[in-house]
């Protein structure tokens, strides 16, 4: 693996560790406010470069750092490693689908904080298609505007949750949905 691939595959871990070291260094030199702004600055750069935004968990961990820095640092590093793993799996899932749709496929962990399969059910209930890939990552698809897509047929899947045709409202206010397995 070359250096660029290694950096890309471990981006979240590298950013978390280097940001933590920079924050500690600034705080130790008497620049506590600057140290606390390292993480939001990283988020701003990631948004400018990639359009990525921090999740609710990331924001919560940053806020927790004001109360218990050691706990927040430990949890942040673990989460960063998990985020890197999710990104590697997402790249694999996207590579198995048509290129014109790939960038609109997202991990279910971006949509909600429940277990991924529960989030997939929620997505189907709200009118979208979610599936578990052959490598075990639950994902869903949106259109270019970020709206859930009801009728996508993934090429690489173990199980799909999506609204049942003809589209009908269920008793809970969402859509009636179906489960499709290979």
């Amino acid at each position: 693996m070359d250096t660029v691939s290694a950096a890309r595959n471990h981006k979240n871990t590298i950013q978390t560790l280097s940001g933590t070291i920079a924050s500690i260094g600034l705080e130790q030199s008497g620049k506590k406010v600057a140290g606390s702004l390292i993480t939001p600055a990283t988020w701003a750069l990631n948004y400018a470069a990639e359009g990525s935004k921090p999740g609710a968990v990331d924001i919560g961990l940053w806020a927790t750092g004001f109360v218990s820095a050691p706990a927040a640092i430990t949890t942040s590093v673990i989460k960063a490693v998990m985020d890197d793993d999710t990104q590697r799996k997402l790249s694999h899932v996207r590579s198995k689908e048509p290129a014109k749709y790939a960038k609109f496929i997202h991990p279910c962990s971006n949509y909600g904080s429940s277990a991924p399969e529960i989030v997939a059910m929620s997505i189907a209930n709200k009118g979208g298609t979610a599936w578990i890939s052959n490598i075990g990552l639950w994902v869903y698809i949106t259109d270019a505007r970020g709206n859930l897509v009801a009728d996508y047929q993934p090429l690489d899947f173990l199980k799909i949750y999506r609204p049942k045709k003809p589209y009908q409202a269920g008793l809970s206010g969402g859509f009636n949905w179906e489960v499709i397995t290979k």
Side-chain angles (χ1 to χ4, degrees):
M1 179 183 316
D2 64 6
T3 305
V4 173
S5 295
R8 188 175 297 125
N9 288 339
H10 302 288
K11 178 186 100 166
N12 293 300
T13 305
I14 292 166
Q15 285 182 347
T16 298
L17 290 173
S18 60
T20 299
I21 291 166
S23 293
I24 291 169
L26 286 168
E27 288 177 17
Q28 293 297 319
S29 68
K31 296 178 174 53
K32 186 172 177 86
V33 173
S36 67
L37 295 177
I38 293 288
T39 298
T42 302
W43 293 338
L45 288 172
N46 284 341
Y47 182 75
E50 303 169 351
S52 64
K53 300 176 186 175
V57 173
D58 297 308
I59 294 168
L61 287 170
W62 177 72
T64 302
F66 292 111
V67 178
S68 174
I73 290 168
T74 302
T75 306
S76 294
V77 170
I78 292 167
K79 183 181 180 304
V81 170
M82 292 172 52
D83 287 347
D84 285 336
D85 182 58
T86 298
Q87 283 306 119
R88 281 190 298 276
K89 288 178 180 176
L90 180 61
S91 292
H92 179 80
V93 170
R94 286 176 171 172
S95 74
K96 300 293 184 184
E97 300 297 324
K100 65 183 179 179
Y101 301 122
K103 68 181 176 180
F104 303 111
I105 298 171
H106 313 281
C108 284
S109 59
N110 285 7
Y111 194 85
S113 58
S114 297
E117 188 167 10
I118 301 297
V119 173
M121 291 175 192
S122 177
I123 289 168
N125 186 56
K126 292 179 181 176
T129 301
W131 67 96
I132 186 168
S133 70
N134 287 328
I135 61 169
L137 183 66
W138 280 97
V139 295
Y140 68 99
I141 189 165
T142 63
D143 63 15
R145 294 184 179 166
N147 300 311
L148 296 172
V149 174
D151 59 354
Y152 184 72
Q153 178 61 47
L155 301 176
D156 181 41
F157 71 93
L158 296 175
K159 187 188 305 184
I160 303 171
Y161 293 158
R162 67 176 173 207
K164 185 189 293 187
K165 291 181 184 177
Y167 302 126
Q168 296 177 329
L171 297 175
S172 65
F175 288 93
N176 289 325
W177 50 276
E178 62 186 349
V179 179
I180 301 165
T181 56
K182 269 193 172 181

